[in-house]
Each structure stands twice: as C-alpha cells, then as structure tokens.
Amino acid sequence: MAGLATSSTEMDLDRPNIDEYLTVESIREAPKKLHLRDLLDISPTLKEAAGAIVDDSFTRCFKSNPSEPWNWNIYLFPLWCLGVVIRYGILFPFRVIILVAGWIVFFAAFSLVHFLLGEHNKWKREIERKLVEMICSVFVASWTAVIKYHGPRPSMRPQQVFVANHTSMIDFIILEQMTAFAVIMQKHPGWVGFIQKIIVESLGCIWFNRTEAKDREIVARKLREHIQGVDNNPLLIFPEGTCVNNHYTVMFKKGAFELGCAVCPVAIKYNKIFVDAFWNSKKQSFTMHLVQLMTSWAVVCDVWYLEPQYIRPGETPIEFAERVQDMISVRAGLKKVPWDGYLKYFRPSPKLIERKQQIFAESVLQRLEEK
Amino acid sequence: MGNASSMLTQYDIEEVQEHCHYLFSQQEIVALYNRFCQLDRSAKGFISSDEFLSIPEFSLNPLSQRLLKMVDGLNFKVFVAFLSAFSPLATVPQKIELIFKVYDVDGKGRVTFKDLMEVLGDLTGSFMSEEQREIVLSQVLKEAGYSRDSPLLLEDFMKVLCKPGVTMEVEVPVD
C-alpha cells in the first residue's frame, strides 16, 4: 500500500510488502448488520498475538541453532576430549602466535608507511591496501579458514557497489583478503573501534550510526561521492544492516540500490559442521566470538561473486533490493524474510497497527449503517 | 525449573501439564519451554514486557498493551496455562473465558462499559471517535438485551459467543 511513506526522522519500515505478510483477518466479505458478538469476539486478534508469542519468523532469524552434540557415547567422548585438547592446547596457542606476529608486522609496516610517506603519495595507498589484505589473510589463517571463492574477482572500477548477506564481522575480513574493499560500517566500541579508526580509514570507509535518524541522508550523500571516485576502493555494503544467523536473510535496505550504479551481489554461506560463524551480538562480544572461532577446527565457507545487476526500467529501488535479496538467498540457500533487521534495536512503526485499526473501524462503521 | 538454562525434568513437564489441564502434549511443553528461554534473554525465569515487545508481530498487535498486563512477569507454568486456551484441545467455554479475562483485565469479575470502550478503542485507534464508539456499543448492547449501565458477567459472554462458537487456535511448532 502506498500509505507507508518514509520520513528520515522516523525509524520506518520502508517496505510496503510487509502488509501481505501480516494477515488482516478482520475484513468481512459483505457488510452485514452489526451484533454484540461481533464486537465481543476479539478471537482473531488474540490468535495473532498468541501465534507471535509461540513462534515468530523474526526471532528465528537471530537464533543461534546449537548443533547436535556428537560426543554422547563412550567411544565418541574420549575422541571429543582429544579434539578439545588439540584445539585448545595446540591449535589455539599456535593461531594466537600467528595472529600476534602478523599484527606486529602489520603495525610496524603500516606505521612506517602512514607517517613517513606523504599524504598523497600514490604508493602509500597501494601499500596500505596490500597491508590490509595481508592482515586479513593472517586473520583468516588464524581460523584455518577454508574459503572457496566462486565467480570472477571484483575489479576496481567506479560506479559499482558490492552487496553481501551478513552473518558476522568476519564476512568483511573474508572478502577483504581477496580484494581491498571500502566498507560502510557501524562504529563499534572497544578495540574493534580502534582498529576501525586507524586501519579501515585508510581503505576509505564510511561510518554510520544506527541511532541517528538524520544520518541516512548524510550517508547516502557519502555513498554517492565514493562511487564517483575512480581511485576509490570498491564499496562493500551489507544491506541487511545487522548480523543474521546464515539460515535466513532479512530485508535489504534500499540505500545501496538507489545510487544509480551497478550492484554486484556476493553470497556467503558458512558450513556449520565446523563452526557456527553467526555472531550473536546480543550474546557474545566480538572478542569472545573470535576466540570461539580460533578454538574450532576451521571456518569453512563458500563465497559466490554473482553477476552485476542494474536497476530495470520501471523498477523501484525497493523492488531492486528484493530482487537482489532473492538472488543471494537462492545462491546461498537461505530463506527470505521480509522483516527489517533494525527491529532488533527499534520497535516497529506504529503505522502498521494503524492500518489494522483503520480497516476494523471502517468495517464497524459500515456495518452500523446496514439495517 | 526457574533457571532458564537448566533442562526441564520429566517431573517438571508433568507438573506444567497438569496445571494447564493437559491441553498441551509433553512435546509441546518442551517446545514452549525452548521458546520461553529464547524470549527470556536474561534468564530471569519470566519474560518482561520489553522482551515481549521485541517480537515485532506481537508489538504490532492492537491488543498488545492489554495482553502485556496479563502475561508480563509470568513464570513458565502460568505462561503455559495462559497459552492453553489456544490449544486445539481447549473447549469453547475455555476460550470464551480467556476473552472475558482480556476484557476484564483488572480481574474484578465483571466487564463494565468502560472496559468495552477500552478494547474497542485499542482495535479502532484514531479511526473512530469516542462518541462513535459509545453509540456503536450502546446500540449493539441494547439490541442484545443488555444495558450499558449494568456490567457483563462471564455467563453473558458465554451466551453471546457460544453460538456459533469461537475458533482461536495456535499451533506450537514441535521439531
């Protein structure tokens, strides 16, 4: 319905199609005379509420599904114990050493280049890019990541953005090790924020703040500026806006799709047998998440670089976003869900309740006329 | 059983089942427990209003505030008892009783004109004025033989709603 207008001052669901998903059960077929029981019978509304309490498709997207424990009998258990010893006692320290060594080299080289070479020295950017790719490879090695890339490698051209589904911050690292992307990211606190500031800045990143409403316009402008620049790194955007558990995809925000340039979809699917890469930011800090990855056997995933898409004539950015979401979901074997990922942080817009109320009120008034 | 991270024992399941008058199977109770633990993020033993409202479909329900008064802070046993009215095995009188309780949210045992106005207000929002709601309710009450000055009791709800009955069923997903 065209009634849901987006305003930049509200946290709105800019998705009309969500109305199809919410059942409106109070529509009567033909207006009949109104009786007391029609007003007393609130059972359809109660049913919807109870249905939502019992199970809802939004919460399902963010559930970390624990895998079946396989160490349950007398033979498997000692094997598992041995595995734990190897993972925590041998692999983990080894990986930490690699990581620390990598960081030391990186910081040394990066500081040298950053402070010694001049501001606009063209070598500076090249070297910084290569260094970032290197540290990402170090990270990737520290999880023994087995990553299979499918499809042509992203090229550095203007007028293109890359979009990918989002499971954890490591998505960025996995993609970054192959190509130095610039990203648009939410600023994080702690040591992650520090790294973001120093290193990721050199790639040409754009910051946003979920909690700032006016932010959208500023960010849209920055995005447009970035893709014009010939020299800028290709831009990577995660249009879901939040981490999802790699079984579902939530609504792709239209921001990336209304820039008037090519959109190159990237699909990422993690193999859960080895580790569940979903970063449940409500349950774990990023540090704990990394430790969990480093004490598992491996991170196994597939990355598909899909064909660049352009907006079709007569297609709205929202429809374009949905089309690309379909492409990525099908490629990675994920289920599509129309909810906005930001509902994790904000309440839904009251406009949707108002729609239901309006339908019911009109039906009551109409039936009141019938005699 | 209060600690959400512990598993339900067979004894717990039977206790809950008895409390909800056997309207849910044991499997459904286990599934509901997993759901309860998922919603009760801080493992307090009950689900707070905030946690209910984080379910977008629930928060979009016009009666969510009224229902929150009934479900906020319930422990698992009472939570299941509340949901039992939605079981396919629940009888029509049991369902009507729940509807009565939603109207009579402060538990006085009768539903006054004010309660009826409040619920109709939740369902129609700003699309009907107070006067319009008063007129509608007075009219239908009068036509059914009631007056707006005397409150409705559970028997009245039963009489009005029992024919042709009420279908209000929810399926508990059991994996």
Side-chain angles (χ1 to χ4, degrees), chain A residues 235-343:
Chain A
L235 189 59
L236 175 63
I237 300 179
F238 295 107
E240 289 170 307
T242 187
C243 293
V244 186
N245 70 0
N246 211 227
H247 288 286
Y248 296 90
T249 50
V250 296
M251 186 185 95
F252 275 26
K253 295 178 169 315
K254 64 180 166 108
F257 299 90
E258 48 185 12
L259 299 169
C261 62
V263 170
C264 311
V266 180
I268 309 177
K269 177 75 177 163
Y270 293 89
N271 188 330
K272 276 188 59 176
I273 297 183
F274 295 95
V275 76
D276 185 359
F278 170 48
W279 178 37
N280 196 338
S281 55
K282 294 206 172 209
K283 282 212 176 131
Q284 275 180 323
S285 70
F286 190 60
T287 319
M288 280 317 296
H289 176 61
L290 277 187
V291 167
Q292 190 198 340
L293 291 179
M294 281 169 58
T295 53
S296 317
W297 290 109
V299 171
V300 179
C301 69
D302 283 284
V303 175
W304 291 274
Y305 294 107
L306 302 174
E307 197 186 310
Q309 298 294 311
Y310 298 87
I311 190 164
R312 295 189 183 144
E315 199 178 34
T316 65
I318 293 181
E319 287 166 355
F320 185 27
E322 219 177 295
R323 182 161 61 88
V324 171
Q325 186 188 357
D326 277 333
M327 277 179 74
I328 292 183
S329 307
V330 165
R331 184 70 267 207
L334 309 170
K335 292 192 205 99
K336 221 181 94 167
V337 153
W339 295 104
D340 179 344
Y342 274 14
L343 289 172

Side-chain angles (χ1 to χ4, degrees), chain A residues 2-40:
Chain A
L4 292 177
T6 41
S7 96
S8 57
T9 53
E10 272 187 66
M11 212 55 240
D12 261 353
L13 293 178
D14 51 348
R15 166 148 308 252
N17 301 345
I18 211 154
D19 297 329
E20 293 163 9
Y21 190 73
L22 299 172
T23 56
V24 181
E25 300 200 344
S26 47
I27 296 182
R28 272 59 164 171
E29 277 90 24
K32 302 183 310 242
K33 190 161 177 304
L34 198 65
H35 296 290
L36 178 61
R37 73 148 291 138
D38 300 313
L39 293 183
L40 284 190

Side-chain angles (χ1 to χ4, degrees), chain A residues 65-276:
Chain A
N65 300 312
S67 37
E68 290 284 319
W70 59 273
N71 56 353
W72 45 269
N73 78 10
I74 190 86
Y75 310 107
L76 296 176
F77 192 68
L79 267 181
W80 178 77
C81 285
L82 182 64
V84 169
V85 167
I86 296 180
R87 281 190 286 134
Y88 282 80
I90 303 177
L91 285 182
F92 183 57
F94 192 54
R95 287 169 175 172
V96 170
I97 294 174
I98 292 183
L99 201 58
V100 169
W103 274 107
I104 293 178
V105 169
F106 176 76
F107 265 122
F110 195 83
S111 316
L112 232 70
V113 171
H114 196 73
F115 295 114
L116 253 48
L117 293 182
E119 235 341 281
H120 295 290
N121 187 324
K122 67 174 161 75
W123 284 115
K124 181 178 179 192
R125 295 198 62 160
E126 264 311 303
I127 298 179
E128 282 181 351
R129 248 177 228 161
K130 287 294 167 212
L131 281 179
V132 174
E133 275 182 33
M134 181 220 85
I135 191 64
C136 287
S137 307
V138 166
F139 258 118
V140 161
S142 75
W143 314 314
T144 319
V146 176
I147 307 170
K148 204 152 159 209
Y149 295 94
H150 309 259
R153 217 181 126 147
S155 46
M156 257 191 52
R157 311 187 282 212
Q159 296 295 333
Q160 63 173 6
V161 283
F162 287 81
V163 298
N165 59 310
H166 200 26
T167 304
S168 158
M169 295 239 283
I170 69 175
D171 292 339
F172 166 64
I173 298 178
I174 283 177
L175 292 177
E176 193 74 21
Q177 76 147 355
M178 230 222 177
T179 328
F181 285 108
V183 256
I184 160 171
M185 280 176 117
Q186 164 88 26
K187 267 221 163 93
H188 281 84
W191 64 270
V192 180
F194 174 71
I195 293 188
Q196 283 181 325
K197 206 153 95 70
I198 305 249
I199 290 145
V200 183
E201 284 273 341
S202 72
L203 296 170
C205 290
I206 300 175
W207 305 112
F208 72 90
N209 200 338
R210 257 179 218 129
T211 52
E212 253 167 65
K214 283 266 177 241
D215 206 52
R216 277 237 273 218
E217 293 156 357
I218 305 174
V219 169
R221 189 176 40 84
K222 288 191 198 167
L223 286 178
R224 251 182 281 269
E225 281 169 11
H226 187 104
I227 55 170
Q228 312 284 15
V230 175
D231 222 15
N232 287 333
N233 292 328
L235 189 59
L236 175 63
I237 300 179
F238 295 107
E240 289 170 307
T242 187
C243 293
V244 186
N245 70 0
N246 211 227
H247 288 286
Y248 296 90
T249 50
V250 296
M251 186 185 95
F252 275 26
K253 295 178 169 315
K254 64 180 166 108
F257 299 90
E258 48 185 12
L259 299 169
C261 62
V263 170
C264 311
V266 180
I268 309 177
K269 177 75 177 163
Y270 293 89
N271 188 330
K272 276 188 59 176
I273 297 183
F274 295 95
V275 76
D276 185 359

